[in-house]
Amino acid sequence: MNLIGLLSPELILLATGLLVLILDMAFHGKEGRREWLPFVAIAGLIVFLIAASFLWGTHTSLLSDMMAVDSFALFFKVVAGLSTLLVILASWDYFQGKTPYEGEFYGLLVLAALAITLAAASTDLIMVYLSMEFLSIGSYILVGYLREDPKSNEGAIKYFLYGAVASGIMLYGMSLVYGVTGTTNLAQIAQVFAAGKLTGDMLWLMLPALIMLLAGFGFKIALVPFHQWSPDAYEGAPTPVTAFLSVGPKAAGFAILMRVFLAAFPAFQLDWAAVLAAISMITMTLGNVVALKQTNIKRMLAYSSIAHAGYILIGFASVALDSPSLFNGVNGVLLYLLGYLFSNVGVFVAVIAFENATGSNQIPDYAGLIKRSPWLAGTLFVLLLSLTGIPATAGFLGKFFVFAAAINVQFYVLALVGIVNAAIAAFYYLNVARYMFFVPSQEESHVAIAPALAVALGIATFATLLIGLYPQPFIEFANQSVRLLGVF
Amino acid sequence: MDFPILTLITFVPLLGSLIVLCMPKEKERLIKQFSIAVSFIPLILSILLWVNLEKGGGIQFEELVAWIPAIRVNYHVGADGLSVPLIFLTALLTTLSLFYSSFTIKNRVKEFFFLFLLLEMGMFGVFVSLDFVLFYVFWEIGLVPMYFLIGVWGGPRREYAAIKFFIYTLVGSVAMLLAIIGIYLNTGTFDIIQAAAMRPFVENFTLGALAFWAIFLAFAIKVPMFPFHTWLPDAHVEAPTAGSVILAGILLKLGCYGFFRVLLPMFPEQFHRFAPIIAVLAVISIVYGAMVSMAQWDLKKLIAYSSVSHMGYVMLGLAAAAFAIGSKDMLTSQAIAMNGAVFQMFNHGIITGALFFLVGVIYERAHTRDLKAFGGLASKVPYYYGIMLVAGLASLGLPGLAGFWGEFFVFRGTFAIAPVYAAVGVIGIVFTAAYILWKVIQHVFLGPFNEKWANLTDMETYEKITLWPLVIFMVLFGLYPPLIVDTINAAMTRLLSGL
């Protein structure tokens, strides 16, 4: 395939994003036509996913080894495409009356999806940095999208300030790596270490360099202690953006983390695996414990998504690509992300539907939801069960794989902390269920769900159950996607 | 038999529940009748299952289909003399519970029957699964409907009781999940039978012990054994009548069943080594449970704690059998103890099921369960008195009723193997007689009549219909135990010969 063919998914996203922005300007004052903009974005995303599927099995590098076309990158293209699709469906009715600039939103969202696909494909530190900045800037704007809302502004500012510092530190770490190895290409960095030509007085720089890189990646994933921005940004951002932030950038962060560490620093696996295991334990414990006390559902989900990042990290901390076992860690991360995508975005869709109808994000206001909308309460419950990790849902499959990876490499303590956390998390997810089903409501009015939201909720719930009940194709997909260019 | 009888038993309730979900919620009568009708299908199939069971034939009615080939997980179901009586018990108690509830459940009817059928599927699933992942899936799925049954239709502290029940069981099951993964990584299979044959962690006792205790925790919480029993009084007391019946009748058996099906065959060495600990816990459960029972003034709480005591007998029989692993001359006593344990599981299901129904009967009328508030009801409600007397005497182990044989076998087996434990455990029987006769019979039915209950009515027809089948089984298995013991004995002998 030629360059255009190999880059076609990215080009399609770029074209779609720009087209939506241009059409938004062209339709200025013609509100009737502007309603078509989300359809344009959705059509573009579907074409993108189809184009990406043609790259299945292709493994090559592009643009002087700046980017990889491999199964791993393809997996994250799918994640980016699906999560953006669901978020667009979820934001259909959301912005009406909140901001006049609805059209740009879809354009920015598609461009953020492009940033995720680029990040997952980067095989050079320069490219890693550029794609992460691209994603960050898009995210800052999206968080602050409601200009009139002070909370939205506060979230965006915090996100921006933390982000600026984090990316500065990351860049410094990259410069240290360059200083030690003389190259920014991931594969060449690995070769330098593999050859063992480095003298000791330079090698010690690698530990601070890795930790600095981790600060940048951890910021995107919202790992403790780089997470402080996320509760405020999640709560303040327009809820569809929160849904996107909890999945898209997190997935991108994991993609970069895995590719950089596996492709460039396999020589230091003992060091970074130990650091990541420790971070994983702190992250899930802090996320879950703080989530217990939240009364705002968006804030609760913010902390819960920090906790989920911790679980996902179990998989990567336990990575063992050469292990004969089926649980090599990376496939666990991918499966977890896939299930988490549907379940978490699904939960947010339900939250948006409730917010649209009642204007509230307070958990006690969910009281009696089973009477007001059995469908919303039922699907939200299934999705919460998935986040809890109850079998027959996608969430269980992900947990199963990451815990299995930890046991596979004999990280028993890590697995133990993981399951203790899974039990803690049940408290706050079931607390929402308690309000929905057990507590009678003051309000009796029906909670109406807009068609687009109903479709998104239906897709998310269906996919959550499908992955849980018939996981075979998804496991195969994840197993294939472990194939990183130049690593495996 | 060639047709997939176990699959049908398991999934007919699921199908039924999905149909209930699609029914309009105003048609309460139709929903009730339909649900009861659906529950008859597994009941009839489970009788067929028992009739067609070849005694001592090991695992039968097997079905094996690849489910998740990528990690070698199969849909593998089968049944033997251990699980068939429990499957029958599940079907029987579910049908009776649904029938009883169709008269007593007034609000959110559709949800109740939907959840109850879903719960039935989960329980069957655990009893038929021979694949660890499948087992785990059903094990956890059953949690969700029970959580709702307690939380929505329960008593005043239902929310607390529901979450406590859920979290306790979840903690145990996630620990088991780690052990399941460990066993898989060690043996390369999720198949319970195959893994047991390969003896996981046979080369590493410490890791084996870790896995053993992880699984032990999951089952012991469910049984529940002292000191993991604290969820039980809350859940039982707050649950609606049918929920308590199923909790005591079936859900506790899931834990016991796990010990027989999974833990003993898979870790006989560890079980043997740790048998003293388990026996001590069992004896504490028996005596402590009975003593706490005797201290209760709430009838439902009394019955709830009696479950802790009665499940202690099951665990004592099992621990005794584990004591004697390796000593060939003890085989008969081992088999007797294990037979007693399984028989006790079944008996406890019908007896405590009946007792909880009877608590429901009086509570519906009196709206109190305070034992001090009653008195002299024998002449006022003679029919109720009669049934309660039979169930109560069966519970305390009167010879001639089913309850006797389970306890007798357990102690007969245990005395031969570990006499000290048996001797201490027997104290529990004395306390049991005391709380049944003194607390329940005397305080409620005998003594001076409390005029407050002048308008109390005796049992309705639907209540009699609910209770008669249980009474019949108490008498039938009490007078002629071979009906069930032959089935159990064949399975237990086979199990012991494989250790």
Side-chain angles (χ1 to χ4, degrees):
Chain A
M1 237 185 279
N2 57 16
L3 186 62
I4 301 290
L6 291 169
L7 271 177
S8 61
E10 282 85 357
L11 293 175
I12 289 165
L13 274 189
L14 182 62
T16 309
L18 294 177
L19 184 68
V20 171
L21 292 179
I22 292 167
L23 287 178
D24 185 47
M25 281 191 282
F27 292 161
H28 186 67
K30 300 172 189 148
E31 291 307 318
R33 290 195 190 168
R34 270 190 174 176
E35 285 176 10
W36 289 95
L37 289 176
F39 286 104
V40 176
I42 288 175
L45 283 166
I46 291 173
V47 176
F48 157 73
L49 285 172
I50 294 169
S53 70
F54 281 104
L55 295 178
W56 178 247
T58 310
H59 282 254
T60 180
S61 71
L62 291 178
L63 309 172
S64 335
D65 288 339
M66 278 288 187
M67 274 176 68
V69 177
D70 57 14
S71 307
F72 184 79
L74 181 67
F75 182 90
F76 284 92
K77 287 191 176 76
V78 173
V79 168
L82 288 175
S83 53
T84 313
L85 257 179
L86 286 173
V87 170
I88 289 177
L89 283 173
S91 34
W92 213 279
D93 290 337
Y94 186 83
F95 289 103
Q96 271 169 9
K98 291 198 175 85
T99 173
Y101 310 106
E102 195 182 333
E104 284 165 33
F105 175 78
Y106 300 109
L108 286 171
L109 212 51
V110 172
L111 291 176
L114 172 62
I116 296 170
T117 62
L118 290 175
S122 305
T123 53
D124 191 288
L125 288 178
I126 304 283
M127 190 67 194
V128 166
Y129 182 75
L130 289 177
S131 57
M132 281 191 75
E133 282 300 287
F134 183 13
L135 179 56
S136 295
I137 291 166
S139 308
Y140 305 148
I141 300 172
L142 287 170
V143 171
Y145 208 72
L146 299 175
R147 284 203 304 207
E148 317 294 325
D149 180 356
K151 277 200 153 180
S152 180
N153 282 324
E154 184 198 335
I157 293 286
K158 273 195 179 159
Y159 191 15
F160 171 72
L161 289 177
Y162 274 109
V165 174
S167 73
I169 294 173
M170 177 176 73
L171 195 58
Y172 193 74
M174 287 176 177
S175 71
L176 286 182
V177 173
Y178 179 75
V180 173
T181 61
T183 172
T184 55
N185 182 283
L186 299 183
Q188 287 172 15
I189 293 171
Q191 281 165 14
V192 171
F193 293 121
K197 276 181 290 193
L198 283 173
T199 53
D201 55 327
M202 289 289 268
L203 210 54
W204 69 270
L205 278 173
M206 283 312 297
L207 195 61
L210 283 175
I211 289 173
M212 286 175 180
L213 287 180
L214 195 58
F217 306 156
F219 163 77
K220 272 270 146 272
I221 304 172
L223 294 174
V224 177
F226 316 111
H227 69 285
Q228 285 99 336
W229 59 274
S230 77
D232 293 309
Y234 278 35
E235 190 187 351
T239 315
V241 173
T242 314
F244 182 73
L245 284 186
S246 72
V247 175
K250 223 179 252 287
F254 272 108
I256 289 184
L257 174 69
M258 292 195 288
R259 191 186 289 275
V260 169
F261 279 25
L262 286 175
F265 306 112
F268 300 92
Q269 186 176 344
L270 283 179
D271 301 294
W272 54 253
V275 173
L276 289 179
I279 289 182
S280 157
M281 290 193 261
I282 299 168
T283 301
M284 55 194 170
T285 309
L286 185 129
N288 278 324
V289 170
V290 182
L292 283 173
K293 299 200 294 187
Q294 304 304 319
T295 52
N296 179 304
I297 197 163
K298 279 167 81 177
R299 244 185 133 76
M300 182 201 95
L301 288 169
Y303 282 108
S304 110
S305 85
I306 292 172
H308 281 286
Y311 298 128
I312 300 173
L313 200 58
I314 294 178
F316 188 55
S318 321
V319 61
L321 284 179
D322 46 358
S323 153
S325 155
L326 302 159
F327 305 109
N328 58 33
V330 177
N331 61 357
V333 172
L334 300 183
L335 275 170
Y336 202 117
L337 278 172
L338 195 64
Y340 174 74
L341 181 178
F342 288 110
S343 306
N344 211 50
V345 175
V347 167
F348 272 109
V349 175
V351 169
I352 293 166
F354 189 78
E355 190 186 341
N356 285 350
T358 66
S360 169
N361 278 319
Q362 296 302 311
I363 296 172
D365 289 336
Y366 281 70
L369 190 61
I370 177 71
K371 281 238 168 77
R372 304 177 67 187
S373 173
W375 209 76
L376 187 61
T379 46
L380 179 54
F381 181 65
V382 171
L383 295 163
L384 289 173
L385 283 185
S386 174
L387 291 184
T388 315
I390 299 296
T393 61
F396 171 69
L397 190 73
K399 287 214 171 66
F400 185 88
F401 267 76
V402 294
F403 291 154
I407 294 177
N408 186 37
V409 296
Q410 297 168 355
F411 279 9
Y412 300 124
V413 176
L414 186 58
L416 195 66
V417 174
I419 60 157
V420 169
N421 270 285
I424 296 175
F427 267 108
Y428 59 83
Y429 292 127
L430 286 178
N431 188 37
V432 180
R434 178 173 76 91
Y435 277 107
M436 291 196 297
F437 296 98
F438 301 168
V439 181
S441 62
Q442 312 296 329
E443 193 79 26
E444 289 293 323
S445 62
H446 181 71
V447 174
I449 313 171
L453 289 170
V455 170
L457 199 51
I459 294 174
T461 312
F462 176 76
T464 298
L465 289 174
L466 179 71
I467 297 173
L469 290 171
Y470 185 60
Q472 175 67 14
F474 303 97
I475 295 174
E476 273 174 10
F477 180 41
N479 281 344
Q480 290 298 318
S481 305
V482 171
R483 296 186 57 201
L484 280 152
L485 188 69
V487 178
F488 188 57
Chain B
M1 261 186 292
D2 273 342
F3 89 109
I5 184 164
L6 292 178
T7 299
L8 279 176
I9 287 178
T10 311
F11 290 105
V12 163
L14 175 68
L15 191 68
S17 74
L18 293 177
I19 295 173
V20 167
L21 199 59
C22 301
M23 288 179 169
K25 68 176 169 199
E26 297 78 32
K27 302 209 167 179
E28 297 188 350
R29 221 180 127 77
L30 181 70
I31 289 172
K32 289 171 175 173
Q33 287 167 347
F34 175 79
S35 308
I36 295 166
V38 165
S39 77
F40 265 100
I41 298 174
L43 180 59
I44 292 164
L45 288 173
S46 69
I47 295 171
L48 271 179
L49 197 66
W50 201 333
V51 172
N52 283 290
L53 181 78
E54 186 199 330
K55 283 176 192 135
I59 301 287
Q60 295 155 60
F61 313 105
E62 269 184 284
E63 296 165 45
L64 181 70
V65 185
W67 176 28
I68 317 173
I71 48 174
R72 282 175 258 154
V73 172
N74 296 313
Y75 174 79
H76 185 192
V77 296
D80 64 359
L82 169 64
S83 48
V84 166
L86 295 170
I87 293 169
F88 170 71
L89 182 70
T90 308
L92 178 72
L93 285 181
T94 305
T95 304
L96 294 178
S97 296
L98 286 174
F99 176 75
Y100 180 83
S101 301
S102 70
F103 291 90
T104 54
I105 293 293
K106 303 279 194 295
N107 69 327
R108 297 168 78 170
V109 169
K110 177 176 152 174
E111 290 165 62
F112 184 89
F113 284 87
F114 162 71
L115 289 166
F116 222 97
L117 288 172
L118 204 62
L119 178 63
E120 188 181 22
M121 177 203 71
M123 297 184 295
F124 282 138
V126 172
F127 288 133
V128 301
S129 296
L130 294 178
D131 185 280
F132 246 141
V133 175
L134 195 64
F135 180 87
Y136 188 79
V137 168
F138 284 121
W139 178 271
E140 291 241 303
I141 282 181
L143 268 182
V144 176
M146 200 62 208
Y147 169 71
F148 280 103
L149 290 179
I150 299 172
V152 176
W153 292 273
R157 288 167 70 240
R158 58 179 186 270
E159 290 175 15
Y160 169 76
I163 189 83
K164 192 170 179 184
F165 163 76
F166 196 100
I167 299 288
Y168 257 73
T169 319
L170 186 70
V171 168
S173 24
V174 288
M176 175 163 71
L177 180 64
L178 292 190
I180 290 175
I181 294 167
I183 291 168
Y184 172 76
L185 290 172
N186 186 260
T187 63
T189 177
F190 279 118
D191 194 289
I192 292 174
I193 306 297
Q194 278 182 28
M198 292 166 77
R199 293 285 146 83
F201 302 112
V202 72
E203 78 290 352
N204 188 335
F205 184 84
T206 318
L207 276 182
L210 275 178
F212 173 87
W213 286 115
I215 299 178
F216 177 87
L217 182 69
F219 294 154
I221 287 175
K222 203 87 172 180
V223 168
M225 275 180 103
F226 178 88
F228 309 111
H229 66 283
T230 59
W231 63 269
L232 179 133
D234 288 303
H236 276 64
V237 171
E238 300 307 320
T241 298
S244 306
V245 169
I246 293 296
L247 254 177
I250 313 296
L251 291 193
L252 307 190
K253 310 303 174 295
L254 298 183
C256 305
Y257 171 80
F259 278 108
F260 285 88
R261 173 68 78 222
V262 176
L263 211 54
L264 185 62
M266 215 167 267
F267 297 102
E269 195 190 337
Q270 281 81 4
F271 218 125
H272 176 64
R273 184 80 68 90
F274 300 126
I277 302 175
I278 297 165
V280 166
L281 291 179
V283 169
I284 294 177
S285 298
I286 292 174
V287 179
Y288 170 81
M291 286 168 70
V292 176
S293 240
M294 200 159 71
Q296 300 307 315
W297 288 104
D298 177 326
L299 182 56
K300 206 171 183 184
K301 220 169 187 168
L302 184 149
I303 311 259
Y305 273 110
S306 82
S307 291
V308 177
S309 174
H310 282 115
M311 288 294 98
Y313 297 129
V314 178
M315 295 312 298
L316 182 62
L318 193 62
F323 256 114
I325 289 173
S327 45
K328 287 293 169 213
D329 50 330
M330 290 289 188
L331 207 59
T332 326
S333 297
Q334 277 181 301
I336 291 174
M338 302 249 297
N339 288 339
V342 179
F343 198 3
Q344 173 73 3
M345 282 159 70
F346 187 89
N347 289 337
H348 180 262
I350 53 173
I351 295 168
T352 307
L355 286 172
F356 273 118
F357 275 128
L358 288 164
V359 173
V361 168
I362 192 89
Y363 187 70
E364 289 283 316
R365 288 163 173 71
H367 300 289
T368 179
R369 297 183 301 249
D370 186 3
L371 290 167
K372 288 183 214 162
F374 297 109
L377 296 187
S379 55
K380 188 73 200 165
V381 286
Y383 204 103
Y384 181 69
Y385 177 45
I387 305 262
M388 181 64 107
L389 201 57
V390 176
L393 293 177
S395 180
L396 66 81
L398 187 79
L401 291 170
F404 168 71
W405 295 109
E407 292 169 17
F408 176 74
F409 287 152
V410 166
F411 282 113
R412 160 67 185 79
T414 310
F415 261 117
I417 300 166
V420 179
Y421 296 95
V424 180
V426 163
I427 300 171
I429 293 190
V430 180
F431 284 116
T432 309
Y435 66 72
I436 295 282
L437 293 175
W438 170 53
K439 274 283 165 78
V440 180
I441 302 297
Q442 189 179 331
H443 270 89
V444 178
F445 298 102
L446 307 178
F449 181 61
N450 185 343
E451 287 304 327
K452 195 173 147 196
W453 310 113
N455 295 323
L456 205 67
T457 52
D458 210 340
M459 290 171 81
E460 303 277 340
T461 313
Y462 77 88
E463 291 163 340
K464 293 175 186 170
I465 295 175
T466 309
L467 281 156
W468 264 113
L470 299 174
V471 171
I472 289 172
F473 279 112
M474 286 177 215
V475 176
L476 187 67
F477 288 145
L479 292 178
Y480 193 62
L483 273 181
I484 180 169
V485 173
D486 283 354
T487 310
I488 299 170
N489 183 41
M492 290 304 113
T493 314
R494 205 181 163 94
L495 171 58
L496 284 167
S497 68
L499 295 182

